[in-house]
Amino acid sequence: MSSATISLGSRPVGAGAAPLLIAEVGQAHDGSLGTAHAYLDAAAEAGADAIKFQTHIAAAESTYDEAFRVKFSRQDATRYEYWRRMEFTAEQWAGLAEHANERGLIFLSTPFSLAAVELLDRLAVPAWKVGSGEYKSRDLLTAMAATKKPILLSTGMSRWQEIADGVAAIRGLGTGVGLFQCTSRYPTPFERVGLNVIDELKARHGCPVGLSDHSGSPLPAIGALARGADMIEVHITFDKRMFGPDVPASLTMEEFAQVAAARDAFAVMDANPIDKDAEADDLETMRGLFTKSLAPSRPLGKGTVLTTDMLLAKKPGSGIPANDIDKVLGRSLARDVSPDRLLRHEDLE
């Protein structure tokens, strides 16, 4: 079994490393280069580690026979025309990669053709993300693996055997692999998110595993982090009223920031394990305030022999512990006592 850690450039991913948060722009830019750059800035400010786009070259990946998954566009008569409108030039992609570097973000983009692999390789992307629909694209996997950069494979449309075959093929080509549990439903209802698959993928393949989520809510990502996911990938949008097919499955920047805050909080908690005995020692004053001691249930005179009905448990815990009542029963009072004060050892003969 291979190492449970891979590297995206200098950034380790997997066992012992902080979870990688990937902000997926996808097609949210709607073909606007300026909007793509704006998403990049917003993702950096929201706490992302990486920004991911999709590199579509219509003539290299599609035909007029490709149907819309969702007929959302009033502008594009065909899916092919939509992909053409989503294209950026090589120079524009280089500008996005440079901007990402300036903002301290790892630049990633999913290629959907060999031409896109070649374009992105010239930009020195540190890893390859393979979408769920490309699980049979061995030509792409072979071209990616030839670069010796790790391949991050989403499993949204794959059966267990197909995942195993894909992992074996990638490893056989001599490069590292990471897997994403993914559900190819847009948006994904909570009952289909499949956080359990994260554990199963780790057990079966011994590689970094994450969640690529399409629920449109930050909760699955936060749940995956709590479960020990190595990577989180979520689509982002500026607003749920934006135009585009992925908006219902996307997080706003504020929601993405919640995921980043959860990741950072979990890191602090995991780095600071608590010893219960030491914690209790530190809380000795608080323990005294919140625990209880024995107190008279009514005014009692000197010489009274104490019985159960004469005693109550009352705050604070600075007197005779309430659990020590058996040590007090049957003893005589050395002085008069009142129910508005705790019983003291000096009150007993």
Side-chain angles (χ1 to χ4, degrees), residues 30 68 70-78 82 85 243 245:
D30 198 42
F68 279 104
V70 177
K71 186 65 174 74
F72 65 92
S73 177
R74 296 176 182 270
Q75 181 175 356
D76 309 294
T78 66
Y82 174 67
R85 190 163 63 80
F243 173 81

Side-chain angles (χ1 to χ4, degrees), residues 24-40 51-56 75 82-88 92-93 96 107 109 235-238 242-247 250 253:
E24 162 74 273
V25 177
Q27 307 311 309
H29 54 74
D30 198 42
S32 165
L33 182 63
T35 300
H37 280 280
Y39 270 114
L40 199 153
I51 190 85
K52 194 184 84 66
F53 294 90
Q54 296 177 11
T55 300
H56 294 280
Q75 181 175 356
Y82 174 67
W83 292 137
R84 287 191 63 185
R85 190 163 63 80
M86 292 298 103
E87 292 180 8
F88 294 136
Q92 289 169 335
W93 280 119
L96 287 167
F107 177 78
S109 190
H235 284 261
I236 55 173
T237 183
F238 282 123
M242 295 287 288
F243 173 81
D246 295 324
V247 171
S250 300
M253 297 305 168

Side-chain angles (χ1 to χ4, degrees), residues 163-186:
I163 297 169
D165 291 345
V167 171
I170 291 169
R171 287 175 170 165
L173 292 168
T175 192
V177 64
L179 296 172
F180 282 98
Q181 158 54 9
C182 177
T183 301
S184 297
R185 299 172 187 270
Y186 308 87

